[in-house]
Amino acid sequence: EDKVVQSPLSLVVHEGDTVTLNCSYEVTNFRSLLWYKQEKKAPTFLFMLTSSGIEKKSGRLSSILDKKELFSILNITATQTGDSAVYLCAVGPNAGGTSYGKLTFGQGTILTVHP
Amino acid sequence: EAGVAQSPRYKIIEKRQSVAFWCNPISGHATLYWYQQILGQGPKLLIQFQNNGVVDDSQLPKDRFSAERLKGVDSTLKIQPAKLEDSAVYLCASRRSGGASQYFGPGTRLTVL
């Protein structure tokens, strides 16, 4: 059974701090790893990673994947109160077959940023 | 581009009652997913449709849950009868053919009393 584990489960920081969120996985036929940000209800897409060692960056957020060690990290620098959310990591199977596109999610990391 | 639409946003029912949720995916997205997200957990896939066909319903409790996507666009998810443990947010997501990213709707928060 596919498994995705995120750590820490929760994190409380102050504005301006840098945070690192972790995601490790055990899946058959890995294809991609995705990070989502969930505020209130719907998860919103942040990054998709398919290749090891290539950093994806968007503003203060960045993420990298290590396919050998089966993990990914999400970094947020100079945190702001608006970064407070649940950050979800999900992995998808290999292309092909009927399971293409199915995602297995981790339990999420709750990030709280205080002013 | 309009996002994934869901209704209702909130629903409170008593156990053993029935409830139905509706989802309208992003136009042109062939794949539609229903997820159940219990408080404090990540979303869990219930069912995946490709157009109007079911691709994966291995985690759908079929004794009480059912879903359909008759014309390959809108979808409904039904629970009959509901149990207390069904209290959760039900998320609908869609994906275009060839894409890896899923786009989520706002969800329906179900409370079963």
Side-chain angles (χ1 to χ4, degrees), chain A residues 6 34-47 85-90 103 105-108, chain B residues 3-4 6 9 26 33-38 41-44 89-94 101-109:
Chain A
Q6 293 184 244
L34 290 82
W35 283 97
Y36 285 85
K37 178 182 182 182
Q38 187 173 26
E39 298 170 278
K40 298 185 181 179
K41 286 275 186 74
T44 53
F45 173 75
L46 293 174
F47 297 112
V86 176
Y87 290 83
L88 294 165
C89 170
L103 294 178
F105 282 86
Q107 75 275 49
Chain B
V4 177
Q6 289 187 249
R9 296 294 303 275
I26 293 173
Y33 308 81
W34 283 102
Y35 289 88
Q36 180 192 59
Q37 187 173 23
I38 292 171
Q41 299 180 18
K44 182 184 87 171
V89 175
Y90 290 84
L91 295 163
C92 178
S94 69
S101 177
Q102 298 177 19
Y103 296 88
F104 286 82
T108 296
R109 181 177 296 279

Side-chain angles (χ1 to χ4, degrees), chain B residues 26-62:
Chain B
I26 293 173
S27 177
H29 281 198
T31 310
L32 184 148
Y33 308 81
W34 283 102
Y35 289 88
Q36 180 192 59
Q37 187 173 23
I38 292 171
L39 188 64
Q41 299 180 18
K44 182 184 87 171
L45 180 69
L46 292 175
I47 189 166
Q48 175 184 343
F49 290 96
Q50 181 71 18
N51 296 309
N52 61 350
V54 175
V55 171
D56 186 341
D57 64 357
S58 56
Q59 298 191 95
L60 186 74
K62 297 181 188 64

